[in-house]
DNA sequence: GAGTGGTCTAGACCACGCC
DNA sequence: GCGTGGTCTAGACCACTCA
């Protein structure tokens, strides 16, 4: 008995959810219009809208103004978060495209911008910078099968990154960690923080989020051999399509 | 300019959010009733309700049917997720109460139930059990300052846990990992998985969640010296009040 | 311009918490 | 019983997409 719903809009949501789970409506396919559903269920469109919004917040459907609601691709993307750590000896550090390809997606990447700026206070704090110090910011969008699924913004102290490939508007081979190693940086440790929050309007636009959807913000700070922070990377990803995993030994 | 809103309900939400951020309404305090706000802003109550719901989904306020909406405690709880790992030599493994106390909360724990059951398929898979094998399930609720903030359900192969303190309805000193060590289990590694999803109705009730709020599900699998899974623990926590952190060396 | 979602108002009735 | 949210309907108008 999946039925334990009270309100009509929840019942409608339950039935639509079940239809999606059964595969009656395939990912990419459009849901019937709200008017159609209203007639079908004998309810007012307002009620239907509330039901569809619920599914949108859950990440099941994608509502687009003027175009209708489509069923989202459900398969999650799994991030082996400490992949850059587990690869011993610095041999082959994990990259976006290969990580994603292994899971059956086509992984691409878009460098949105590379700029020198004054960092947000939080980043400045993590990098241990003074108020007037600047950073190089690399803003990238990671895509899976052409759909934006993650934003990755990396910050480097300008004193370190200026004049290097980090400050150039081009993709970097092997990811940012590998690029830093090419610059002679040796890593000692990483600090990671994961939290969930509401996206900013900009993030919602870049990731194509429906109203009510949340994001996972995954921040990584990399420390060099002298234990000084050399990189802060902020990953913002859709909460429902991304899973993070860790493999840890019992003792470090 | 925080103003970039279009719809009225978003504007109302923005103003309420700002009021909360400014501290005009303190955590624990009640928001004006929807009727009051409707009169104040010259809008219909339906519109106000939509605004408050938005804040509830963000975790800023707590809507209670018949009682009103209150501002939530905002301070997040930080989980040093690999705390049981970093404590070398098995000396002092982290516990809920001390972890929480260090952050200025009063940490308590409630053992909801301890039972022998047939595990859900996913757990059976992680533990490598056959269909007919049973598990001991320990269901606990972790509270911070008396408020439920995390559910922790641990599963053990019945063959391992039956007849031990793991199968008894009582709190265990030092947490489940320490209890397993007392049973002679030695650990080799841990696998962790983090994802975000919509709570079940039961979880929403146990955690006192408002409509639209999401949860973080953090699953940990512990492997013994022979690399056999001995414990699966499922942590379900409110998405907005919990932060997970990791400290990792550059090479394992 | 037709189709689809986004929002708003007006008004009503119900359900829950509490005195 | 009163106050507060929860939900629903009816109806309207707006905004975006696409032919």
């Amino acid at each position: 008995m999946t039925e334990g719903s009270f309100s009509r809009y929840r019942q409608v949501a339950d039935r639509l959810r079940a239809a999606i789970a059964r595969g009656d409506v395939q990912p990419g396919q459009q849901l019937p219009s709200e008017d159609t559903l209203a007639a079908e269920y004998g309810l007012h469109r307002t009620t239907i809208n509330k039901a569809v919004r619920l599914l949108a917040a859950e990440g099941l459907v994608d509502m687009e103004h003027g175009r209708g609601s489509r069923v989202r691709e459900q398969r999650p993307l799994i991030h082996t978060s400490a992949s850059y750590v587990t690869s011993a000896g610095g041999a082959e550090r994990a990259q976006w495209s290969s990580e994603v390809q292994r899971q059956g997606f086509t992984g691409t990447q878009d460098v949105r911008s590379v700029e020198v700026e004054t960092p947000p206070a939080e980043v400045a704090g993590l990098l241990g910078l003074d108020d007037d110090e600047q950073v190089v910011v690399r803003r990238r969008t990671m895509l899976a099968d052409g759909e934006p699924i993650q934003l990755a913004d990396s910050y480097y102290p300008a004193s370190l990154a200026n004049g290097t490939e980090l400050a150039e508007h081009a993709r970097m081979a092997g990811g940012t960690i590998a690029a830093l190693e090419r610059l002679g940086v040796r890593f000692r440790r990483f600090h990671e923080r994961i939290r969930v929050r509401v996206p900013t309007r900009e993030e919602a636009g870049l990731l194509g989020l429906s109203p009510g959807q949340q994001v996972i913000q995954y921040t990584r700070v990399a420390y060099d051999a002298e234990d000084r922070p050399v990189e802060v990377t902020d990953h913002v990803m859709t909460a429902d399509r991304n899973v993070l995993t860790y493999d840890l030994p019992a003792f470090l």
Side-chain angles (χ1 to χ4, degrees), chain A:
Chain A
M1 301 298 92
T2 324
E3 273 302 300
S5 309
F6 337 112
S7 37
R8 321 236 186 158
Y9 82 91
R10 275 176 196 278
Q11 289 176 30
V12 173
D14 284 349
R15 294 179 62 165
L16 291 174
R17 206 184 284 111
I20 292 170
R22 267 197 313 275
D24 293 355
V25 198
Q26 293 283 323
Q29 263 186 50
Q30 196 158 339
L31 240 49
S33 79
E34 296 186 353
D35 279 329
T36 307
L37 288 170
E40 193 173 310
Y41 287 105
L43 297 170
H44 193 86
R45 180 166 79 87
T46 314
T47 308
I48 302 295
N49 181 268
K50 219 170 166 178
V52 180
R53 254 162 201 282
L54 195 56
L55 300 185
E58 292 174 11
L60 257 75
V61 306
D62 195 9
M63 297 179 89
E64 286 172 275
H65 194 170
R67 301 221 302 146
S69 298
R70 275 175 195 65
V71 176
R72 276 214 165 200
E73 172 63 52
Q74 293 304 312
R75 202 154 48 99
L77 192 61
I78 297 168
H79 300 268
T80 307
S81 295
S83 56
Y84 53 88
V85 174
T86 45
S87 61
E92 274 286 305
R93 296 208 178 267
Q95 307 177 50
W96 172 256
S97 59
S98 57
E99 280 262 306
V100 172
Q101 204 155 25
R102 196 176 311 136
Q103 297 180 50
F105 297 98
T106 305
T108 51
Q109 190 179 152
D110 171 36
V111 179
R112 296 206 308 288
S113 72
V114 178
E115 291 165 334
V116 179
E117 291 177 8
T118 303
E122 193 178 354
V123 171
L126 289 171
L127 285 176
L129 299 179
D130 293 333
D131 287 351
D132 58 338
E133 284 189 80
Q134 291 198 304
V135 293
V136 170
V137 195
R138 295 184 63 85
R139 292 182 227 276
R140 323 192 286 298
T141 301
M142 316 309 235
L143 308 101
D145 290 351
E147 284 184 10
I149 198 166
Q150 183 183 119
L151 306 176
D153 296 356
S154 296
Y155 300 84
Y156 307 91
S159 54
L160 171 73
N162 266 341
T164 73
E165 65 171 318
L166 292 171
E168 281 165 34
H169 188 107
R171 280 229 313 277
M172 289 181 305
T176 61
I177 296 290
L180 282 165
E181 288 187 322
R182 281 198 293 277
L183 290 176
V185 175
R186 291 296 167 264
F187 294 101
R188 179 202 196 88
R189 66 186 181 96
F190 297 95
H191 179 76
E192 311 197 351
R193 191 192 58 176
I194 297 157
R195 57 184 183 130
V196 178
R197 60 172 175 77
V198 173
T200 64
R201 236 185 286 281
E202 189 190 4
E203 288 164 350
L206 288 167
L207 291 171
L209 300 178
S210 292
Q213 278 197 277
Q214 308 212 354
V215 293
I216 297 173
Q217 179 177 3
Y218 156 57
T219 306
R220 181 188 68 196
V221 187
Y223 295 84
D224 70 6
E226 281 80 43
D227 211 36
R228 289 176 315 188
V230 292
E231 181 197 74
V232 168
T233 299
D234 240 330
H235 302 262
V236 175
M237 47 190 106
T238 61
D240 52 280
R241 277 206 62 192
N242 288 277
V243 175
L244 303 179
T245 65
Y246 287 86
D247 273 298
L248 304 166
F251 301 104
L252 295 182

